[in-house]
Amino acid sequence: RTCRDNPVAATQLLLPLLLGARQPHQLAMPSEREAWVGLESNPTVMTKYARSLGVADGWGFCDLWGLDDEALEAVPQPCVAAIFLYPFSQVEARKRALGTQQPASAPEVWHMRQDVSNACGSVAIMHSVMNNLDRIGEGSSFLDSFREKTAGASSAERAALFAPAVRDIHDSHASSGQTDAPAPTADLDFHFVAYVEVRGRMYELDGNNDGPIDCGEVADGGLLRAVCDHVKAAYIAPFPDSHFSLITLGPERREDDE
């Protein structure tokens, strides 16, 4: 499952379940910054995590196994968000060379900074959930309360509220999965970002940014098609031999759909 063919027309996406990130370089993080165990890129783990936050039964994450039409058609619809995993140092070096892309002024998009080391998976789940809360989490006392507390707050203020609110939930899921959990201080060279659609536009939500990145209008093909087109051009094309993972959020896949 690789993207070694023409990346713009790639039909297969490598989904390593964060195997590389689960075997990290053991470099120490600054002691003054809180650090969590990195979350595995695993839809089962992420679904359980989301349910613990208060996402309604019937919604969950699933792997996207390719970028061709057949693979996209196998994804339960509607796809309301997607989480993309990429090799951090390699991609970020290219981003710096190209210049910083300015965040959009979009107060209707819920965005938070990442202040906890190795919490990018949790931040991506929060971005996916909070921007679809009325659809997938209505009636959740925790999520409704967190939305109320963070309404009108800046991305940095939301980050300060995030850790104490979610820490116990994260700890209960971060060590599960198919690979050995790394130490909280491990230097994981993979990074999660989320994609959501708000008012007909697709936004990339990265906890390392100060705000959402406007990726353009979502066309008739829907959010999933827009995400795939974007990541192929922006991430996979420059690094066709690297490892990437894409997980979607939508109706939970039933056994008879597999």
Side-chain angles (χ1 to χ4, degrees):
R1 302 190 298 275
T2 66
C3 292
R4 295 179 187 273
D5 299 327
N6 181 347
V8 177
T11 58
Q12 292 182 301
L13 191 68
L14 181 63
L15 297 166
L17 296 177
L18 243 183
L19 289 175
R22 288 294 205 181
Q23 299 170 9
H25 302 292
Q26 300 293 326
L27 299 181
M29 292 290 185
S31 58
E32 66 272 9
R33 187 181 188 188
E34 184 175 356
W36 290 357
V37 173
L39 195 66
E40 184 176 89
S41 180
N42 181 319
T44 300
V45 173
M46 289 181 166
T47 295
K48 291 178 180 178
Y49 197 121
R51 296 277 173 80
S52 295
L53 292 172
V55 169
D57 291 344
W59 294 91
F61 290 95
C62 76
D63 278 323
L64 177 63
W65 292 105
L67 298 177
D68 59 332
D69 290 341
E70 183 179 1
L72 269 59
E73 290 169 1
V75 173
Q77 293 292 333
C79 171
V80 299
I83 293 179
F84 184 60
L85 178 77
Y86 63 82
F88 180 75
S89 57
Q90 187 178 42
V91 171
E92 291 302 310
R94 181 173 184 271
K95 284 184 178 181
R96 288 192 296 271
L98 294 175
T100 303
Q101 189 172 359
Q102 293 301 315
S105 177
E108 68 275 13
V109 180
W110 195 96
H111 177 271
M112 63 169 285
R113 289 279 303 178
Q114 179 191 335
D115 281 351
V116 178
S117 296
N118 296 334
C120 57
S122 300
V123 171
I125 291 175
M126 288 297 291
H127 280 145
S128 300
V129 169
M130 296 301 290
N131 283 287
N132 289 286
L133 192 53
D134 291 338
R135 194 171 194 176
I136 68 175
E138 188 175 5
S140 165
S141 58
F142 171 77
L143 291 172
D144 286 342
S145 175
F146 195 72
R147 176 166 61 178
E148 182 178 353
K149 289 179 181 178
T150 59
S154 67
S155 294
E157 290 167 340
R158 287 170 176 165
L161 294 169
F162 166 77
V166 180
R167 186 182 295 113
D168 289 344
I169 293 175
H170 181 90
D171 287 346
S172 68
H173 294 288
S175 295
S176 60
Q178 297 181 351
T179 55
D180 294 335
T185 54
D187 181 21
L188 305 182
D189 194 33
F190 284 85
H191 187 61
F192 291 98
V193 297
Y195 292 94
V196 300
E197 178 182 353
V198 179
R199 297 183 183 178
R201 301 193 69 80
M202 183 177 75
Y203 292 91
E204 180 180 282
L205 304 177
D206 184 345
N208 286 338
N209 294 333
D210 291 327
I213 300 297
D214 189 340
C215 298
E217 185 177 358
V218 176
D220 293 340
L223 176 63
L224 182 57
R225 175 73 63 180
V227 170
C228 290
D229 289 345
H230 174 76
V231 300
K232 282 193 289 187
Y235 291 94
I236 298 175
F239 305 107
D241 294 326
S242 291
H243 295 178
F244 302 91
S245 168
L246 193 56
I247 291 178
T248 64
L249 174 60
E252 188 171 23
R253 176 174 281 166
R254 299 171 300 181
E255 289 185 6
D256 55 0
D257 290 336
E258 297 180 351

